[in-house]
């Protein structure tokens, strides 16, 4: 078993899912519609809500990983076209009694390297990473003084509630 990311229909990371080790590629997942069987209405089709992605996130430190679904679909199309060309070439080779030279070899297109990108804008990242305001040294001393005064007041009240007795 291995953990793979799930993304929404825009490619933004949602959560991880545990899948079989053999899982690869990109597979859609759907929300199951609430089909009420008492009504005579048309059955609703499941709604596409995202994809399970068998390609690991390769870039560390992304704030909101985003899978490039368009690049993946283009890659899938290129694979399909390469397979179709190979099958046609193989059929031609076999039809010519194998006298047309060596048997064709299937060459798969190269999968894109970086299918994962940052899903947040630079402005959103700046907002997330902006430093929190630090209290000035004087404000820190005031806060510390107030905390000590509260502690002294609590101890004084505890002492007074015991009748001023010491143990």
């Amino acid at each position: 078993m291995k953990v793979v990311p799930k993304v929404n229909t825009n490619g933004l990371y949602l959560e991880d899912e545990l899948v079989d080790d053999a899982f690869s590629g990109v597979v859609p997942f759907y929300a199951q519609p609430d089909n009420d069987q008492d009504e005579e209405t048309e059955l609703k089709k499941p709604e596409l809500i995202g994809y399970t992605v068998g390609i690991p996130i390769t870039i560390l430190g992304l704030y909101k990983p985003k899978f490039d679904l368009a690049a993946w679909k283009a890659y899938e199309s290129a694979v399909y076209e390469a397979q179709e060309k190979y099958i046609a070439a193989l059929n031609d080779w076999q039809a010519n009694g194998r006298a047309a030279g060596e048997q064709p070899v299937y060459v798969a297109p190269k999968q894109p390297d970086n299918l994962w990108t940052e899903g947040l804008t630079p402005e959103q990242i700046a907002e997330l990473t902006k430093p929190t305001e630090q209290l000035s040294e004087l404000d820190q001393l005031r806060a510390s003084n107030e905390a000590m005064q509260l502690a002294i007041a609590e101890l004084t009240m505890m002492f007074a509630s015991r009748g001023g007795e010491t143990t």
Side-chain angles (χ1 to χ4, degrees):
M1 300 300 281
K2 66 180 178 180
V3 175
V4 296
K6 289 174 75 174
V7 299
N8 66 15
T9 55
N10 295 325
L12 292 172
Y13 172 85
L14 296 172
E15 63 186 3
D16 287 330
E17 181 177 2
L18 192 60
V19 297
D20 187 74
D21 285 337
F23 180 83
S24 65
V26 178
V27 178
F29 63 90
Y30 300 87
Q32 291 303 316
D34 187 21
N35 287 320
D36 189 359
Q37 298 195 6
D38 293 334
E39 296 181 24
E40 293 181 16
T41 59
E42 191 175 315
L43 289 179
K44 298 175 188 172
K45 293 183 179 178
E47 178 185 355
L48 174 67
I49 58 171
Y51 299 89
T52 303
V53 180
I55 299 162
I57 299 173
T58 54
I59 302 172
L60 299 176
L62 295 176
Y63 290 93
K64 183 74 171 179
K66 182 177 182 181
F67 186 74
D68 190 345
L69 290 166
W72 176 257
K73 288 176 182 177
Y75 168 69
E76 281 185 319
S77 292
V79 167
Y80 179 76
E81 288 175 21
Q83 289 171 342
E84 290 294 312
K85 287 180 182 177
Y86 168 70
I87 290 169
L90 185 60
N91 287 338
D92 287 346
W93 180 77
Q94 290 173 340
N96 291 327
R98 298 182 175 124
E102 292 190 27
Q103 179 177 351
V105 176
Y106 173 72
V107 179
K110 184 179 181 306
Q111 181 177 316
D113 290 332
N114 292 323
L115 289 167
W116 288 99
T117 59
E118 179 57 64
L120 295 180
T121 64
E123 294 79 20
Q124 290 171 321
I125 293 172
E127 182 66 28
L128 283 175
T129 59
K130 75 177 181 182
T132 58
E133 285 190 32
Q134 294 288 330
L135 293 176
S136 69
E137 189 175 346
L138 179 60
D139 289 336
Q140 289 176 359
L141 288 171
R142 283 184 181 142
S144 176
N145 188 30
E146 287 176 21
M148 282 192 288
Q149 286 178 345
L150 283 173
I152 290 170
E154 287 176 9
L155 287 172
T156 302
M157 295 210 27
M158 284 176 41
F159 183 72
S161 69
R162 291 186 179 175
E165 299 174 12
T166 59
T167 55

